[in-house]
Amino acid sequence: MEPIELPRDLPIIERRAVRVVVRDAADRLLLFHTRDPDHPRLGTWWELPGGGMDVGETYRDTAVRELREETGIEITPDQVGAATWRRRASFLHRQLRHHQDEVIVAVRLDRPGPDVDETHRLDYEREDYFGFRWWPLPEVVASPARFYPGRLPDLILPFLAGEAIDEPFELWS
């Protein structure tokens, strides 16, 4: 396989990140409707909550912190599933090109999905995320919408069934 040539369009940030598949008692997934104000040509898309790992954090710590910051949902590290979906991706965000190693983990709530509480969001998240929705699983699988990760509709059912996923590199934007 030919190596992928990465764009050199913006300063690059390398980081490790965690994305969280939050599933409620009704088998719905939480996704944010988002955009990047610096790159309007990218349009809008739906993405999993999550973000970069801070120094010294485990992936479980990051999942707990990111969910609290982005959604107001309080969980404990023991509610975070194993990091069985691994991927590397590159995308534009604001004035940086992110190259990141990601793990995707599952969190199962024992109640219907709550409304999102934006109290602890960072300023840019308040601008980028303009909506959220608890999506029924079959709708995610069948949707023609754009998602991050891009293969979410194809990989969500195998992931939730416990399959280990080592996804190839994704040049998302």
Side-chain angles (χ1 to χ4, degrees):
M1 182 184 333
E2 296 272 329
I4 295 172
E5 182 67 29
L6 294 175
R8 303 214 177 269
D9 45 2
L10 290 171
I12 294 171
I13 181 171
E14 291 270 353
R15 69 180 196 162
R16 293 170 44 213
V18 177
R19 295 284 169 185
V20 185
V21 173
V22 183
R23 192 165 41 142
D24 75 357
D27 243 8
R28 299 177 304 168
L29 303 184
L30 176 62
L31 295 170
F32 291 130
H33 207 191
T34 189
R35 65 181 167 237
D36 184 337
D38 288 358
H39 303 282
R41 67 179 170 75
L42 297 177
T44 64
W45 62 91
W46 293 92
E47 77 180 28
L48 295 172
M53 295 177 73
D54 288 343
V55 174
E57 279 187 330
T58 66
Y59 75 85
R60 285 187 164 99
D61 295 335
T62 301
V64 169
R65 177 180 52 77
E66 288 288 341
L67 271 185
R68 182 181 50 77
E69 288 175 2
E70 293 182 354
T71 70
I73 296 172
E74 299 274 351
I75 60 167
T76 60
D78 63 326
Q79 289 177 270
V80 179
T84 57
W85 183 350
R86 298 179 176 278
R87 63 194 305 271
R88 182 147 174 84
S90 182
F91 57 89
L92 300 171
H93 183 246
R94 298 297 176 129
Q95 293 303 308
L96 294 172
R97 170 160 291 285
H98 289 248
H99 292 177
Q100 64 188 33
D101 290 308
E102 296 179 344
V103 294
I104 299 174
V105 298
V107 169
R108 183 69 189 251
L109 303 179
D110 61 0
R111 63 192 186 281
D115 283 343
V116 166
D117 175 355
E118 298 181 6
T119 305
H120 299 290
R121 280 193 178 163
L122 301 173
D123 288 342
Y124 77 84
E125 291 169 336
R126 290 183 183 168
E127 293 177 23
D128 293 358
Y129 302 149
F130 62 92
F132 76 94
R133 180 175 166 211
W134 287 95
W135 285 66
L137 212 48
E139 287 185 29
V140 172
V141 171
S143 178
R146 188 166 185 226
F147 293 94
Y148 185 88
R151 294 192 58 216
L152 182 67
D154 299 329
L155 297 176
I156 190 63
L157 293 179
F159 170 69
L160 292 174
E163 287 184 33
I165 298 170
D166 189 9
E167 186 181 352
F169 175 79
E170 179 181 23
L171 180 57
W172 195 84
S173 64

